[in-house]
């Protein structure tokens, strides 16, 4: 269970981005506003929000740091994920992207951007802060649309400066959105239409894009789920999908499908099966009700570097919001991969020539 964050709660803001303030998740969480300046899509000024977990007592952070990025119609509220990483020696941070969750301001269209590269600004600044505060190597973690956003950012970062030089050592993706679900004609003829119309009618919504609450019903405690979160920031029926945003997503998919080079090893977790349904049933609780898991499997190899793809039996779309058994299996897979990653990094460092040799 998680604490439900309400807009009415006095969480505070830091307009100049200079410090950490209490976050409504509770006494062990703090937030910091990252000013981003004028929104490139003309909706006033934009901000992002960095959240950090501060456990009580003396905790040794010997493993590194984690920076988490959410997906569409989402924000960070998964306290158990922060606690999981902290228990394994990681300092945990999460980013609410511009116009999402804590970063949604009056006049903003939720989650709306016309270019996924706009997110590079807050991702780069969040990474800078995490590195400055911890001095530790960073493992990135991202869910669904966040997985696409972070992968594209890493590719650009790696080509400019190198992800290793930036202090990033690995990537954990949780059901990343790597292609448009549905029949093949949606990904061909449909995509051409999206790109043409989305260029001129950017804020028009895709008909029916927020009429089904199946996945939300499986998650939130007000329906059939067990999780508590802010329905203003993560509504059961999702936010409307805007054509300009979907056009940006399809451009991102096309770039991914040509092959990326993110520069670090990755672990990709997904459900074993997909279950699309217009109404909730218990079958939705043990499958991905949002994405086609076959597409995740197909395109994960396009990340470059070493990839490890693991299907989790009984997992939901957000693998880390699954029932107890698949959640335990997912955490066990992350445990195993983090152990491997530490050994891989140690072996790579041992092969580096000594200074002056």
């Amino acid at each position: 269970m998680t604490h439900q964050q309400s807009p009415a709660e006095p969480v505070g803001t830091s307009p100049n981005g200079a410090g950490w303030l209490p976050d409504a998740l509770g006494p062990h969480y703090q937030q910091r506003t990252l000013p981003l300046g004028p929104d490139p899509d003309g909706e006033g000024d934009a901000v992002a929000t960095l959240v950090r977990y501060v456990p009580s007592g003396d905790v040794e952070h010997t493993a590194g740091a984690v920076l988490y990025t959410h997906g569409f119609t989402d924000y960070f509220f998964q306290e158990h994920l922060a606690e999981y990483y902290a228990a394994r020696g990681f300092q945990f941070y999460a980013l609410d992207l511009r116009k999402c969750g804590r970063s949604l301001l009056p006049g903003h269209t939720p989650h709306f951007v016309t270019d996924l590269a706009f997110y590079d600004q807050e991702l780069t600044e969040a990474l800078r802060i995490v590195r400055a505060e911890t001095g530790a190597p960073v493992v990135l973690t991202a869910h669904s649309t966040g997985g696409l956003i972070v992968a594209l950012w890493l590719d650009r970062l790696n080509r400019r400066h190198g992800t290793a030089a930036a202090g990033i050592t690995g990537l954990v993706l949780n059901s990343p959105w790597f292609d448009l679900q549905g029949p093949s004609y949606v990904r061909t003829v449909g995509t051409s239409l999206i790109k043409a119309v989305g260029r001129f009618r950017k804020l028009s919504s895709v008909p029916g894009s927020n009429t089904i609450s199946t996945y939300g019903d499986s998650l939130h405690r007000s329906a059939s789920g067990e999780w508590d979160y802010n329905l203003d920031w993560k509504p059961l029926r999702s936010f409307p999908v805007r054509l300009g945003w979907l056009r940006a997503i399809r451009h991102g998919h096309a770039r991914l499908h040509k092959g990326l080079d993110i520069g670090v090893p990755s672990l990709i977790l997904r459900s074993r099966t997909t279950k699309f349904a217009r109404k909730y049933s218990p079958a939705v609780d043990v499958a991905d009700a949002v994405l086609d898991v076959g597409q995740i499997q197909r395109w994960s190899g396009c990340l470059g570097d070493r990839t490890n793809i693991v299907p989790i039996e009984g997992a939901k779309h957000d693998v880390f919001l699954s029932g107890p058994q698949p959640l335990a299996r997912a955490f066990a897979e992350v445990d195993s991969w983090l152990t491997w990653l530490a050994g891989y990094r140690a072996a790579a460092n041992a092969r580096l020539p000594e200074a002056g040799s």
Side-chain angles (χ1 to χ4, degrees), residues 170-201:
L171 174 65
V172 177
L173 294 182
N174 163 14
S175 301
W177 189 19
F178 284 166
D179 204 353
L180 195 63
Q181 56 273 38
S184 59
Y185 68 81
V186 174
R187 295 189 294 278
T188 53
V189 177
T191 293
S192 297
L193 183 62
I194 289 167
K195 290 182 178 179
V197 179
R199 182 179 180 182
F200 300 103
R201 298 178 56 186

Side-chain angles (χ1 to χ4, degrees), residues 235-247:
L236 297 181
R237 296 181 183 273
S238 95
F239 290 113
V241 173
R242 308 290 177 173
L243 284 172
W245 176 85
L246 190 55
R247 181 174 183 265

Side-chain angles (χ1 to χ4, degrees), residues 306-329:
R306 296 171 180 252
T307 57
N308 187 19
I309 310 163
V310 182
I312 304 294
E313 188 73 44
K316 295 183 180 182
H317 173 56
D318 189 332
V319 173
F320 296 127
L321 296 182
S322 300
Q325 292 185 346
L327 178 60
R329 286 194 291 269

